Amino acid sequence: MKIAIPNKGRLQQPTLQFLQSVGIKPLASDDRALIVPTSWEGVQLVMIRTEDIPNIVETGATELGITGHDYVIESSADVEELIKLDFGRSKIVLAVPQTWSENSVEELKVREFRVATKYYNIAKEYVRKKELNAKVVKISGAAEVMPSLGAADAIIDVMSTGTTLKLHGLKAIDIIMDSYAVVIGNRNWIKNDEADRINLLLTMMKGAIAAKGKKMIFMNVPDNRLDGVINSLPAMLAPAITRLSRSDIWEVITVADEDILPEVIAKVKAAGARDIVVIDIEKVVK
C-alpha cells in the first residue's frame, strides 16, 4: 500500500509528524528517495509535489494521499476527501498593492488588471464569478514578487499570517477559500484489494486525531468522597471506577482536554482524590 505525501514545502514536516503519531515511521532518511519504506510492513511513502498528489491518487498509483484542500479543488481530480486534518490551515486570497485605493472586490470591478497565481483554475472561476476585468497569469514560483517585477498587478495566493504579503507591499482584500491538509483516496478505494488495510489505516488516523490534546487521569478516591469527585469530573462518556483491594478505596479513570487539566486536578484534589496520575493518550478509536 502506498501513501503519497509532499516531498517538500509547508505541509511536509506536519505530515510526517502526523504519520508518526499514527505509528507510521519512515525507515529511510535520504532526501533523494522517492519511495520510502515505513515501520508498517507493506506500507510505503511516495514523495511527490503537493500539487500533483490529487492526480496521482486519482489514477490509483497510490491508495491514499495527504495534500492541501486547495490543491484538490485546483486539480479537479476525482478523489474523495476522507479525513480533514488539523494542520496546514491557510486561506487563498486576492491581494493587491497597498498603494491601490481599492479595498474590496466591488471597487476592483472598474479596474483592468493582471493577476498572477499558481491556482489557475481557482482564479479563473473566481474572476468569472466576481465579474472582474482581470487577466489570469499562470506561474509556478513565488507569486508575491510578481507585482514588483511588473509581471502582474495583483496575485491570488495562499496566506497563513499575511506577513509575507506585507513584506512585498501587498494587502489581501478578499478571501477566496479556506484550506487545510486532507487525507484523500481514490473514489473506488473501497473496492481495492487493500480496502481492509486502508480502512484500518484510516481508523488509526482518526484515532490519533481524536487523542490530540487529551490526557488520561488516574486517581484513588476514598469511598466517602467518591460522589464528590465524580461530580467534578469531565468524561468522554462517564468516568470508569473500580474498587481496589482495600474495600474503602476506588480507582477512578477519566479523560480530559489538556487545556482544562489544571482546573480538573484542582477540583478533584479538593473533592478528596489522591495519588493522581496523568498520562498521554496516543489514540482514541471510536
Side-chain angles (χ1 to χ4, degrees):
M1 182 169 66
K2 295 182 177 66
I3 307 171
I5 69 168
N7 63 348
K8 59 182 179 179
R10 63 188 180 87
L11 291 183
Q12 185 190 44
Q13 285 306 312
T15 295
L16 289 171
Q17 291 168 6
F18 169 66
L19 289 174
Q20 289 198 29
S21 74
V22 175
I24 299 175
K25 301 176 183 179
L27 297 182
S29 57
D30 190 339
D31 292 339
R32 296 168 298 179
L34 300 180
I35 300 179
V36 180
T38 73
S39 54
W40 273 36
E41 185 178 357
V43 175
Q44 298 176 314
L45 302 181
V46 182
M47 316 299 284
I48 301 173
R49 291 198 316 163
T50 313
E51 54 267 42
D52 292 336
I53 290 175
N55 295 114
I56 294 295
V57 173
E58 180 185 28
T59 66
T62 67
E63 285 77 11
L64 298 174
I66 298 179
T67 186
H69 172 68
D70 50 347
Y71 288 120
V72 175
I73 300 301
E74 172 65 17
S75 69
S76 297
D78 187 21
V79 296
E80 183 179 355
E81 293 191 2
L82 301 171
I83 304 175
K84 179 180 178 181
L85 300 173
D86 60 354
F87 61 86
R89 296 187 181 280
S90 59
K91 300 179 185 299
I92 307 301
V93 300
L94 170 63
V96 302
Q98 294 175 1
T99 54
W100 284 15
S101 61
E102 293 91 342
N103 290 302
S104 71
V105 177
E106 287 300 316
E107 295 176 72
L108 272 184
K109 289 185 176 180
V110 298
R111 181 189 285 266
E112 183 178 348
F113 63 100
R114 298 164 298 158
V115 57
T117 186
K118 61 185 175 183
Y119 297 103
Y120 185 78
N121 294 325
I122 291 174
K124 289 287 285 186
E125 178 63 12
Y126 174 77
V127 165
R128 184 192 67 79
K129 287 179 65 176
K130 295 295 185 179
E131 299 179 336
L132 297 175
N133 189 12
K135 177 183 178 182
V136 178
V137 179
K138 185 177 183 179
I139 60 168
S140 58
E144 299 90 351
V145 300
M146 295 302 158
S148 59
L149 290 176
D153 304 301
I155 67 170
I156 287 177
D157 202 25
V158 63
M159 180 185 78
S160 296
T161 64
T163 302
T164 303
L165 293 180
K166 291 179 182 178
L167 287 174
H168 289 84
L170 300 171
K171 60 182 179 182
I173 64 169
D174 194 23
I175 297 173
I176 298 173
M177 62 178 287
D178 291 317
S179 188
Y180 37 82
V182 289
V183 179
I184 60 174
N186 184 283
R187 290 285 182 187
N188 296 314
W189 74 267
I190 198 67
K191 300 177 183 178
N192 192 294
D193 292 340
E194 297 277 359
D196 288 343
R197 295 186 73 198
I198 294 171
N199 195 46
L200 174 60
L201 177 53
L202 294 174
T203 298
M204 298 297 282
M205 286 179 170
K206 292 174 183 176
I209 294 170
K212 191 170 183 179
K214 295 187 183 299
K215 300 289 184 180
M216 183 168 284
I217 311 170
F218 297 80
M219 66 198 77
N220 292 335
V221 183
D223 188 76
N224 62 348
R225 308 298 293 273
L226 183 61
D227 288 343
V229 169
I230 290 177
N231 289 335
S232 66
L233 280 175
M236 298 178 71
L237 290 175
I241 60 173
T242 305
R243 189 184 291 275
L244 300 183
S245 55
R246 283 180 53 185
S247 61
D248 61 339
I249 299 293
W250 296 81
E251 181 184 51
V252 178
I253 306 172
T254 192
V255 173
D257 290 330
E258 187 172 16
D259 56 356
I260 64 168
L261 187 60
E263 177 186 350
V264 171
I265 291 176
K267 284 183 176 180
V268 298
K269 189 171 175 59
R274 63 194 191 207
D275 307 324
I276 302 169
V277 177
V278 179
I279 63 172
D280 292 332
I281 300 175
E282 287 191 0
K283 296 173 185 67
V284 177
V285 178
K286 300 181 179 180

